[in-house]
Amino acid sequence: MHLDEGLLRAVWILAAAVGVVFLSARVRIPPIVGLILTGILIGPSGLGLVEEVEEVEALAEIGVVLLLFIIGLELSLGQLKDMGRAFLFGGLTQALLTTLATAAVAAYGGIPWSEAIFIGWVVSLSSTAVVLKLYGQRREMSTPQGRAVLGILLFQDLLIVPMIVLTPVIAGTEQASPLALLLRFGGALAAVALVAVIARFVAPRLLHLLVAVRSRELFILTSLLACLGLSYFTYSLGFSLALGAFLAGILISETEYSHQVIADVAPFRDVFASLFFVSIGMLVDLDFALDNGPLLLAMAAGVVLLKALFAGAAVKVVGYPVRIALVGGLGLAQIGEFSFVLMDVGRSNGLLAGNIYQLLLGTAVLTLLLTPAFVTFAPGIGRRVAALVRAADPESAAEHAGLSSHVIIVGYGLNGSLLARVLGEAGLPFVVIELNNSTVQQARREGVPILFGDASRQEILEHAGIERAQAVVFAMSDLPAMRRSVRLARGLAPAVKIIVRTRMVQEIDSVRLAGADEVVAEEFESAIEVFTLVLRHFHVPRNIIRTQTRLLRGEDYRMLRVPGASEGVSETVLQALEAGTTDLYRMTPESRARGGTLRDLDLRNRTGASVIAVVRGEESFPNPSPTMELEEGDTLVFVGSHEQIEAAFDLMEAYRAGES
């Protein structure tokens, strides 16, 4: 291939990708779907702008290596521990059930068992990239379904490594004797052990030396060297490139520099991974797909139903109710990007003979294209099915029947648990509603009155005593479920006080319309806290600060949300900053000014600030005499401009340090 031909193909790929991904973003389709469509459009069976798919695949393989490298970087042992049941039990249940069911269907259709099991592996994997992108856009990562789906996806990402290792064995290209399997897995475990030793003793010191040089280029090159070097090392041992890249990521993930490596390598990953998804689209034979359209649609529908069923069962096994299980199951009801990697490995080992590869490829692409719709409509479907089967998992109403004038806390995350602790210490009655079963069990062991269930279900709110409650505090992350829960709570108890914590500003109006009395937006509260700290630094009087924060919080943060509504606040603060002010300084045991007099301090001449009062114990001394001796515990009341008071504070701190 001449240079000009290669450059022209690159131009076509990039131009088509930019156009299609731009249109995908406009209609809110994930970029990965747009890249696959790009490959179909410009590939051999499309417009034929790029005929040599193998050349693109060579670059795409680098993208796969970098994808697994990043996954290894992001998979720390602590993260896997936090996922707990969702990662281990949910992931194992989903993978095992989906593989066995798919293999049984394929074998029933006349496909040999070795190939049927491999097809089961391919179908069992879902798309981490697409699903997490969609959940992130919908702000559902911290919701119950988001946590459950993430745990299962992480298990699947780890599962790709042993699947790749075992593919040559089930294909018959390598001996399948117990000794051969033991040697193969022994080699993989030895490589993992070697990486663990390097990660523990060598990598941190090496990266520390590289960071000390302060060369970003050196840091990036070393990261890529670790990724590609270990990939080649495992490949030379007879394993896959992907295994080495994954191990390299794990190696660096246990160091303190992993986040910087991710930031530096991510742009390379994105470029080459984009080529990977484009190459997938190029592999689709449009003529074959059109000729076998009904069969492909039937296969895609079967895969979606099967995966939604077993993924939903896995989420239910973790301990979530039916509604969350259905939402999570539909979110995982596609064939993922690593399935394409596995299919390529299988094809090179003689699996997926005849038209099976194209059928599987077309089915995978169809399920990926349908995923945005699944994620969008899943909450509504889950709600309706849960209502039909009455699956609210209610507990005995007698457990909380004696509660009255209590607080109901919906959600036992950081905000909910802190509120519960404060209420408990204050002796105020409360009950918690939580969807995460492991969280519920842990809270019960700690003696927290907690109810497992879905607050968007009437039975659960009634069991929590909604009619007798003083207040309901919603600290949920699932916005659609929270709106339904607020609306239901308002209907069941019109007089109850409803307080809602939201993450984003855009959620305020919808929650208000649902029936909330008070809405606390984390996004604005953090800004108000910073604003308060800055004004305190400039010695703005506390009453002015309180007035401003009250105005900022008023009418659901209207002054912060509506352009042009904050002139009054700005003017008031400006006047306070321009005017003189007061502040307090307390004498500590370390202050060398103890025993001296105000005349000795000579604050007015040295700083311009004046002491207008001294507070000693319960007694106040306005306009103190210059000869008044200062004692430990005295509080001096300064008056002056902001600069003068700042100078007075500096002078007093100098006395404390013994510099004056």
Side-chain angles (χ1 to χ4, degrees):
M1 179 182 70
H2 296 293
L3 178 62
D4 57 342
E5 294 176 353
L7 184 61
L8 179 61
R9 287 172 185 159
V11 168
W12 278 122
I13 292 173
L14 292 175
V18 167
V20 176
V21 173
F22 173 77
L23 293 175
S24 300
R26 299 286 293 190
V27 296
R28 297 187 177 183
I29 294 176
I32 291 174
V33 176
L35 292 168
I36 294 175
L37 292 175
T38 299
I40 295 174
L41 178 67
I42 66 175
S45 63
L47 298 177
L49 299 177
V50 178
E51 296 284 350
E52 303 294 332
V53 179
E54 293 78 10
E55 296 165 2
V56 179
E57 283 184 311
L59 294 174
E61 190 160 1
I62 299 177
V64 175
V65 166
L66 291 173
L67 272 174
L68 277 164
F69 180 55
I70 294 291
I71 286 176
L73 280 169
E74 294 175 338
L75 276 180
S76 66
L77 296 177
Q79 186 182 19
L80 296 181
K81 183 180 178 181
D82 291 339
M83 294 298 165
R85 291 174 57 85
F87 172 78
L88 184 59
F89 296 109
L92 183 61
T93 300
Q94 183 274 332
L96 188 61
L97 292 179
T98 305
T99 297
L100 291 176
T102 304
V105 172
Y108 181 78
I111 295 175
W113 266 105
S114 59
E115 194 168 342
I117 292 173
F118 180 78
I119 292 173
W121 288 354
V122 170
V123 173
S124 70
L125 300 177
S126 302
S127 176
T128 302
V130 172
V131 174
L132 295 190
K133 180 75 172 178
L134 289 169
Y135 271 50
Q137 289 175 343
R138 293 169 58 85
R139 302 188 186 94
E140 292 185 12
M141 286 305 303
S142 56
T143 63
Q145 63 265 26
R147 293 192 296 268
V149 165
L150 177 59
I152 293 173
L153 286 171
L154 289 178
F155 185 87
Q156 291 179 1
D157 290 341
L158 282 177
L159 208 56
I160 183 65
V161 176
M163 285 179 175
I164 290 174
V165 169
L166 281 175
T167 296
V169 175
I170 67 169
T173 56
E174 292 188 8
Q175 290 182 341
S177 66
L179 180 61
L181 288 175
L182 181 62
L183 289 175
R184 187 156 186 83
F185 270 103
L189 291 174
V192 171
L194 177 62
V195 167
V197 172
I198 296 174
R200 177 66 179 86
F201 299 104
V202 180
R205 294 177 174 82
L206 177 61
L207 289 174
H208 182 72
L209 291 174
L210 293 173
V211 170
V213 177
R214 296 189 177 184
S215 170
R216 183 170 180 266
E217 292 79 9
L218 178 62
F219 195 73
I220 294 174
L221 289 172
T222 305
S223 302
L224 291 174
L225 174 63
C227 172
L228 299 179
L230 264 178
S231 296
Y232 183 77
F233 173 69
T234 55
Y235 182 75
S236 64
L237 292 177
F239 301 107
S240 68
L241 293 170
L243 174 62
F246 179 77
L247 292 177
I250 292 289
L251 185 153
I252 298 176
S253 72
E254 296 303 315
T255 71
E256 59 183 303
Y257 308 108
S258 59
H259 297 296
Q260 184 59 46
V261 174
I262 292 174
D264 289 335
V265 175
F268 299 96
R269 184 266 322 257
D270 293 339
V271 171
F272 286 106
S274 297
L275 291 175
F276 168 66
F277 291 110
V278 170
S279 69
I280 290 172
M282 290 181 180
L283 294 173
V284 174
D285 188 334
L286 276 180
D287 293 333
F288 178 86
L290 293 173
D291 291 341
N292 296 272
L295 178 59
L296 282 173
L297 290 173
M299 288 180 63
V303 166
V304 167
L305 289 174
L306 185 145
K307 293 205 69 174
L309 175 64
F310 291 126
V315 176
K316 191 73 175 71
V317 165
V318 175
Y320 290 102
V322 167
R323 181 178 69 84
I324 300 300
L326 284 168
V327 173
L330 285 170
L332 294 168
Q334 73 288 127
I335 298 177
E337 59 272 3
F338 287 115
S339 296
F340 298 109
V341 178
L342 193 60
M343 288 163 60
D344 190 54
V345 175
R347 188 173 56 163
S348 64
N349 281 275
L351 296 171
L352 306 182
N355 293 329
I356 295 178
Y357 176 79
Q358 277 297 327
L359 286 172
L360 206 53
L361 182 68
T363 301
V365 170
L366 276 176
T367 60
L368 276 175
L369 294 177
L370 292 171
T371 297
F374 296 155
V375 173
T376 299
F377 295 113
I381 296 173
R383 188 168 64 252
R384 289 178 177 85
V385 173
L388 287 174
V389 299
R390 309 290 294 173
D393 295 300
E395 297 183 356
S396 171
E399 184 177 351
H400 307 288
L403 283 176
S404 62
S405 298
H406 58 290
V407 178
I408 299 174
I409 304 172
V410 182
Y412 199 65
L414 177 61
N415 288 277
S417 59
L418 288 176
L419 176 58
R421 188 173 70 184
V422 171
L423 292 175
E425 292 175 354
L428 297 175
F430 69 93
V431 62
V432 180
I433 299 175
E434 170 59 45
L435 264 175
N436 189 321
N437 190 48
S438 59
T439 301
V440 171
Q441 299 306 320
Q442 178 62 33
R444 282 182 178 158
R445 286 192 291 269
E446 296 171 357
V448 177
I450 192 167
L451 173 67
F452 172 77
D454 185 349
S456 66
R457 298 287 300 159
Q458 179 175 338
E459 296 91 337
I460 294 298
L461 288 177
E462 288 176 345
H463 292 331
I466 182 70
E467 300 90 349
R468 305 181 302 277
Q470 280 276 15
V472 184
V473 179
F474 288 91
M476 304 166 60
S477 300
D478 188 343
L479 179 60
M482 181 164 61
R483 283 198 298 258
R484 292 193 303 273
S485 302
V486 170
R487 192 176 297 111
L488 179 61
R490 177 57 68 213
L492 292 173
V496 75
K497 180 80 169 181
I498 297 180
I499 303 171
V500 174
R501 185 272 299 162
T502 65
R503 295 184 182 276
M504 308 300 293
V505 178
Q506 298 92 326
E507 302 170 359
I508 294 176
D509 291 334
S510 62
V511 175
R512 271 286 193 182
L513 289 172
D517 295 303
E518 303 288 345
V519 183
V520 179
E522 288 184 357
E523 196 174 33
F524 277 153
E525 285 300 322
S526 60
I528 290 174
E529 182 62 24
V530 172
F531 160 84
T532 300
L533 293 173
V534 170
L535 292 189
R536 285 179 182 171
H537 175 73
F538 283 102
H539 306 290
V540 173
R542 294 179 183 273
N543 65 314
I544 292 181
I545 295 177
R546 284 195 297 270
T547 299
Q548 302 318 308
T549 55
R550 189 164 56 248
L551 287 171
L552 290 173
R553 291 190 176 105
E555 298 183 28
D556 294 330
Y557 311 93
R558 180 177 180 274
M559 287 186 174
L560 294 175
R561 290 197 294 154
V562 180
S566 59
E567 288 83 352
V569 174
S570 301
E571 183 65 27
T572 305
V573 173
L574 182 60
Q575 291 172 1
L577 291 172
E578 289 175 347
T581 187
T582 62
D583 213 326
L584 307 176
Y585 183 85
R586 185 175 180 83
M587 299 289 292
T588 64
E590 296 82 10
S591 176
R592 294 170 62 90
R594 288 184 298 116
T597 65
L598 292 174
R599 180 180 288 124
D600 295 333
L601 287 177
D602 197 19
L603 279 169
R604 180 185 290 275
N605 291 327
R606 299 174 72 176
T607 67
S610 300
V611 177
I612 62 171
V614 176
V615 180
R616 180 173 294 166
E618 300 295 327
E619 193 173 0
S620 176
F621 299 92
N623 300 317
S625 168
T627 60
M628 182 178 184
E629 290 188 1
L630 300 176
E631 299 178 0
E632 176 187 334
D634 285 352
T635 298
L636 309 184
V637 182
F638 294 152
V639 65
S641 68
H642 301 284
E643 293 79 6
Q644 290 168 344
I645 289 182
E646 194 67 33
F649 269 79
D650 291 341
L651 178 63
M652 297 305 294
E653 289 302 311
Y655 267 108
R656 180 177 176 179
E659 298 172 1
S660 294

